[in-house]
Structure formats: C-alpha cells, structure tokens
C-alpha cells in the first residue's frame, strides 16, 4: 500500500505539472519563472498534500519532517545526482535573490520554532510570503523579458502562446485529475508510512525526514534529472530552489494554518534537523559562486553528505552506538574540510576572473 500510494502520488504530480506548465506558458511567463514557480510548486504538491493530511490527522511531526527532509533531499540528493550527470549552470538571478531568500527563510523557521511549535500566526506569515514571492517572480520575470526585448521566451511558449478553448480545457482537466490523485495517494502513503514506522520502532519525525520526504520528492527527482539529461540545466537548478521555497512558505505555512494546535517542533528537530536544513541552504552559495556552475565533484559531495545524514538518522533511530561518533566526525572533520575546499575554490575563481580567464 505504501508503494501504491507513492505511485499514485507520482502519477498525480506528473499530470498536474503537465497541465499547469502549459497553462503558465500560455500566459507568457519566462522559463526560469516557470521553473521557480509553476514546475516547482507542481512537483512540491505531494509534500503539500501529505503534510496537510498529516497535520489534519494530528501527526504534525510527519508534516514538519516531510518539509525539512524534502529541502535537505532536494539540495543534497537531487542537485547532487543531477550534477553528476552534467555540470549544472546557475543563473545570476538565483544567486542574487532566490538562494539568499531560501537561506533567510530557513533561519526564520528555526527562530519561529523557539517556542516548540509553528502556530497559525507563523502559518499566516509564511502563506502571505508565498503569495508575495509568486507575484514578485511573475512581475520581475515579465519586466526582465520586456527589457531584453524578447517576444517569445522559448520555443514552448511560442507553441502555446495562443491555445484554443479545447486545449485550455484539457490542461485544466489534467490539473483537476492530478490533484485528485495526489489527495488519494497521500492518504495511502501517510497512513502506511506511519504504520511501517511504528512496526519498526522508528519515530514519526525520522520516517518523515527519510521515507516520506524522499518519496514525495520523486517528482522533483524526475524533473531535475530529466532536465539535466536534456541539457536544460537552469531548469534543473530552478526546480530545486523553487521547491525548497515552496516547502517552507507553502507546505509549512498551510500545514501550520490547518493544524488544530499548530505543527510541533521536537528538541531533536530544533537542534539537529533544522540546523542541517540551514547548513544545506548556506552551502549552496559558495558552490554556486564558484564559476556559476555546480561541478561534478561538488555534486558527488552533496550526494555523499545526503547518505551520511540519512545514515545518522537511521543509526540514531536504531540506537546504534556508531551514530553519535559518526555525527561528531561529520561536524568536526568533514564539514570543516568541505568549507576550506569551497573557500579555496571561490578564491581561485575570483582570481581567474580578475586575470580575465573565463
């Protein structure tokens, strides 16, 4: 039932993204904005539906673990895997605004969780932020498009710039059917994920950070990996950053609104998982600055960190003695070495630019 729910979730997300992307392209929105908003929001809909369902069922820990775990999974696993396939290009707009915004919002989640939960006031702030970010992205995208004097931003937009009523109706139907499948699949997925966690003696938070987070992020995996294979590298990165912003503003925001007592934040989540989410977000900046590319070795580093973090979670849940030692090794040795390596790469990159080396 867990696998069946996951399959229905993925199928529903696919239909939703297809319909929503075509409708958005018909409005003349640029490809980057489509990647940051429509595609990112569409592929993040499983996280939203699962988290809302969990919050309404009184399983707020699953909702929090899903959002936080998805953000960690998106950067470390999806960007890591995509970069291993091909070096990913990072557009300047992402470095100037979207990635810093992701970092600020990650810190905001930690600060708002000091009282041990994300309440409805916090949910209102996040949801309002999502609406503001979406409007800003669309307006800024259109201004940039107009300033560049580009009539047709992409081949896809030129093909769907003037859809007929029948085409619009089909795309709308895809969106409705996709949402229906997402609701159905989420119920199966959450119910059986929690049952599986209980039978294995794993906490809801850990199952949310691992199985649920990775499962609901499969649409992002498919989108970013496919984009990397096809050479659409900016879409691969934009999808991940947009999804992370949506997970904080939309998933956590709406879940905090609908939950009767808000979304609880445990001590382990406050002291370990939220700081890991912040560290992952901060790690994007130096990597993105080094030549505006995510190199293959950097992708491999991201991927290795994800498996290290997941191993720590599983070991902690099983009360394994090596989990604490592994965590200390990561914090005391591996992370500092990574920071030093990235700093050296950043200095070399600036030096090359100063000397006129492309």
């Amino acid at each position: 039932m867990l696998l069946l729910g996951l399959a229905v979730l993925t199928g529903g997300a696919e239909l939703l993204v297809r319909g929503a992307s075509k409708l958005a392209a018909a409005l003349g929105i640029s490809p980057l904005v489509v990647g940051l908003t429509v595609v990112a929001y569409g592929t993040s809909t499983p996280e939203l539906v699962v988290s809302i369902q969990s919050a309404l069922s009184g399983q707020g820990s699953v909702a929090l673990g899903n959002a936080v775990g998805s953000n960690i999974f998106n950067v470390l696993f999806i960007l890591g895997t995509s970069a291993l396939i091909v070096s990913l290009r990072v557009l300047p707009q992402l470095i100037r605004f979207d990635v810093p915004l992701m970092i600020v919002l990650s810190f905001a989640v930690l600060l708002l969780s000091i009282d041990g939960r994300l309440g409805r006031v916090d949910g209102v702030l996040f949801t309002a932020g999502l609406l503001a970010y979406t409007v800003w992205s669309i307006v800024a995208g259109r201004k940039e498009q107009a300033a560049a004097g580009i009539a047709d931003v992409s081949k896809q937009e030129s093909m769907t710039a003037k859809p007929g009523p029948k085409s619009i109706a089909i795309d709308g139907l895809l969106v409705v059917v996709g949402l229906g499948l997402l609701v159905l699949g989420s119920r199966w997925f959450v119910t059986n994920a929690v049952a599986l966690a209980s039978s294995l003696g794993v906490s809801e938070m850990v199952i949310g950070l691992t199985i649920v987070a990775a499962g609901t992020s499969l649409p992002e995996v498919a989108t970013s990996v496919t984009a990397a294979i096809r050479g659409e590298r900016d879409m691969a990165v934009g999808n991940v950053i947009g999804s992370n912003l949506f997970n904080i503003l939309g998933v956590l925001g709406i879940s905090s609104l609908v939950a009767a007592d808000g979304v609880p934040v445990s001590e382990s989540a406050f002291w370990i998982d939220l700081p890991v989410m912040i560290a992952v977000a901060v790690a994007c900046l130096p990597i993105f600055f080094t030549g505006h590319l995510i190199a293959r070795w950097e992708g491999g580093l991201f991927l290795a960190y994800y498996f290290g973090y997941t191993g720590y979670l599983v070991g902690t849940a099983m009360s394994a003695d090596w989990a604490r030692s592994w965590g200390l090794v990561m914090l005391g040795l591996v992370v500092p070495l990574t920071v030093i390596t990235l700093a050296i790469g950043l200095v070399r990159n600036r030096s090359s630019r100063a000397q006129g080396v492309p």
Side-chain angles (χ1 to χ4, degrees):
M1 290 298 294
L2 183 71
L3 294 176
L4 180 60
L6 186 58
V8 174
L9 267 174
T10 305
E14 175 66 19
L15 293 179
L16 177 62
V17 171
R18 284 189 181 185
S21 297
K22 290 180 180 179
L23 290 175
L27 298 176
I29 303 174
S30 67
L32 177 60
V33 174
V34 171
L36 284 168
T37 56
V38 179
V39 176
Y41 296 178
T43 54
S44 294
T45 306
E47 285 96 323
L48 176 63
V49 178
V50 167
S51 293
I52 291 176
Q53 183 71 24
S54 301
L56 292 175
S57 303
Q59 297 161 336
S61 295
V62 175
L64 177 67
N66 182 27
V68 174
S70 292
N71 274 22
I72 296 171
F73 181 86
N74 286 348
V75 173
L76 296 184
F77 185 88
I78 298 179
L79 278 186
T81 303
S82 301
L84 280 178
I85 296 173
V86 60
S87 297
L88 299 176
R89 180 181 60 181
V90 181
L91 297 181
Q93 177 183 328
L94 294 175
I95 299 174
R96 289 196 308 265
F97 181 79
D98 298 287
V99 174
L101 177 62
M102 179 178 68
I103 295 172
V104 169
L105 291 176
S106 298
F107 274 106
V109 175
L110 184 68
L111 292 176
L112 294 175
S113 301
I114 292 178
D115 58 354
R117 70 180 53 251
L118 294 172
R120 287 185 173 171
V121 175
D122 304 326
V124 169
L125 292 175
F126 282 146
T127 306
L130 177 65
L131 295 175
Y133 172 75
T134 304
V135 172
W136 180 88
S137 295
I138 294 174
V139 172
R142 287 187 170 179
K143 284 183 178 180
E144 184 177 350
Q145 178 181 337
I150 302 175
D152 296 322
V153 179
S154 68
K155 188 181 296 183
Q156 181 182 6
E157 286 185 357
S158 65
M159 294 171 59
T160 59
K162 296 180 180 179
K166 183 178 179 180
S167 177
I168 293 178
I170 293 175
D171 295 334
L173 180 62
L174 289 177
V175 172
V176 173
V177 173
L179 285 172
L181 290 177
L182 285 171
V183 173
L184 178 62
S186 69
R187 290 182 179 178
W188 291 344
F189 194 86
V190 171
T191 301
N192 291 282
V194 173
L196 179 63
S198 301
S199 65
L200 296 175
V202 181
S203 68
E204 290 183 358
M205 185 66 188
V206 172
I207 206 72
L209 284 165
T210 54
I211 296 178
V212 177
T216 54
S217 293
L218 283 181
E220 284 97 324
V221 175
T223 301
S224 292
V225 171
T226 301
I229 293 174
R230 294 180 178 178
E232 299 174 358
R233 297 180 292 179
D234 53 340
M235 179 66 72
V237 180
N239 177 40
V240 167
I241 302 303
S243 294
N244 280 18
L245 292 173
F246 183 83
N247 285 339
I248 295 176
L249 297 175
V251 175
L252 283 181
I254 298 175
S255 297
S256 301
L257 279 176
V258 302
D261 299 321
V263 174
V265 180
S266 64
E267 280 194 30
S268 63
F270 183 83
W271 291 107
I272 298 177
D273 305 304
L274 290 180
V276 169
M277 181 181 71
I278 293 173
V280 167
V282 172
C284 287
L285 270 184
I287 288 180
F288 283 15
F289 269 125
T290 53
H292 288 190
L293 284 175
I294 305 178
R296 282 192 171 95
W297 74 268
E298 292 170 330
L301 185 66
F302 271 172
L303 205 55
Y305 270 135
Y306 176 73
F307 287 118
Y309 171 69
T310 304
Y312 172 78
L313 288 178
V314 174
T316 303
M318 298 174 63
S319 300
D321 295 335
W322 56 264
R324 182 178 296 275
S325 300
W326 175 246
L328 292 175
V329 169
M330 292 289 289
L331 291 175
L333 179 62
V334 180
V335 173
L337 285 176
T338 304
V339 172
I340 293 173
T341 302
L342 293 175
I344 293 174
L346 182 58
V347 171
R348 287 179 177 175
N349 178 64
R350 289 183 173 178
S351 176
S352 298
R353 287 186 177 182
Q355 297 174 8
V357 179

